[in-house]
Amino acid sequence: QVQLVDSGGGLVQAGGSLRLSCAASGRTFSSYAMGWFRQAPGKEREFVVAIRWSGGTTYYADSMKGRLTIARDNAWKTAYLQMNSLKPEDTAVYYCAAARGTWNSDNYYYASTYNYWGQGTQVTVSS
């Protein structure tokens, strides 16, 4: 079993930055992929970014490409998401997720691909 803990959200002005963290515990992560989704009020959960733990293959949502940097710390089993140039439309609850099975260019953006989820952290960007 895997447990994920989200942290790092908060309130920031437009143009500002935030760094989210996702701490994992439980089974080994070498074959997993990890990433973030977000969900704004009244909207469906949408893909933001994900990375394969071993090898580093990374996918970004077009809406945030160029404003994100994802990194992983193997020793602490923690993933980090640096978000820059934030916009009011980035306001949402951000959820960390991990996938243990097949993860590739055809399925990385589906929430159903991910087996484990964090509790979410609120990101609010004021205009």
Side-chain angles (χ1 to χ4, degrees), residues 75-117:
W76 293 97
K77 290 198 291 187
T78 301
Y80 302 96
L81 178 61
Q82 178 69 37
M83 304 190 295
N84 300 320
S85 302
L86 286 164
K87 306 173 182 180
E89 53 263 43
D90 295 321
T91 295
V93 177
Y94 284 69
Y95 296 91
C96 174
R100 69 171 185 265
T102 300
W103 181 86
N104 53 40
S105 59
D106 292 326
N107 69 0
Y108 68 87
Y109 45 85
Y110 292 117
S112 58
T113 298
Y114 298 80
N115 308 99
Y116 306 102
W117 292 85

Side-chain angles (χ1 to χ4, degrees), residues 21-113:
S21 299
C22 178
S25 61
R27 300 179 62 178
T28 180
F29 253 67
S30 60
S31 61
Y32 283 47
M34 287 184 70
W36 275 268
F37 284 69
R38 68 183 183 184
Q39 189 165 18
K43 295 187 176 181
E44 293 189 355
R45 192 168 297 191
E46 65 174 359
F47 172 78
V48 176
V49 63
I51 185 169
R52 183 177 294 284
W53 202 261
S54 176
T57 300
T58 305
Y59 297 105
Y60 294 92
D62 288 342
S63 61
M64 297 194 77
K65 192 176 293 184
R67 300 189 289 128
L68 301 178
T69 302
I70 187 170
R72 63 204 189 283
D73 185 317
N74 291 336
W76 293 97
K77 290 198 291 187
T78 301
Y80 302 96
L81 178 61
Q82 178 69 37
M83 304 190 295
N84 300 320
S85 302
L86 286 164
K87 306 173 182 180
E89 53 263 43
D90 295 321
T91 295
V93 177
Y94 284 69
Y95 296 91
C96 174
R100 69 171 185 265
T102 300
W103 181 86
N104 53 40
S105 59
D106 292 326
N107 69 0
Y108 68 87
Y109 45 85
Y110 292 117
S112 58
T113 298

